[in-house]
């Protein structure tokens, strides 16, 4: 799901973590995500709670939703 933020070329997106996926059970730092410059993970939604500005030690779990924002072409 994408949301355009006004006239800017910035979008917010939600990325679900699927059970058994490559990222399930991995720490953010271990993933070394190749994120387009200027694209940031703002929060992780887990069990109807939010972990804002997640750090590298955070381990992703199945059913987490990553909330990220950045330039449209980086999604």
């Amino acid at each position: 799901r994408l949301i355009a933020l006004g006239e800017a070329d910035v979008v917010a997106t939600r990325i679900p973590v699927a059970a058994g996926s490559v990222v399930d059970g991995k720490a953010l730092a271990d993933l070394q995500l190749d994120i387009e410059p200027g694209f940031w993970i703002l929060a992780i939604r887990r069990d109807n709670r939010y972990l804002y500005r997640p750090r590298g030690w955070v381990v992703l779990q199945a059913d987490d939703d990553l909330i990220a924002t950045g330039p449209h072409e980086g999604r």
Side-chain angles (χ1 to χ4, degrees):
R1 174 180 308 173
L2 296 175
I3 301 169
L5 302 175
E7 295 293 321
D9 285 339
V10 175
V11 294
T13 188
R14 179 183 60 87
I15 304 135
V17 175
S21 68
V22 221
V23 299
D24 184 11
K26 299 284 173 77
L28 287 174
D30 293 338
L31 293 174
Q32 298 180 355
L33 299 174
D34 185 16
I35 296 177
E36 188 74 26
F39 214 82
W40 301 96
I41 297 175
L42 299 176
I44 297 173
R45 181 175 167 253
R46 178 179 293 162
D47 298 326
N48 292 321
R49 303 177 97 191
Y50 289 87
L51 173 61
Y52 295 101
R53 294 175 25 200
R55 303 293 184 231
W57 53 265
V58 173
V59 175
L60 297 178
Q61 299 175 3
D63 298 324
D64 281 353
D65 284 319
L66 304 180
I67 311 298
T69 187
H72 180 70
E73 60 276 358
R75 67 182 167 105

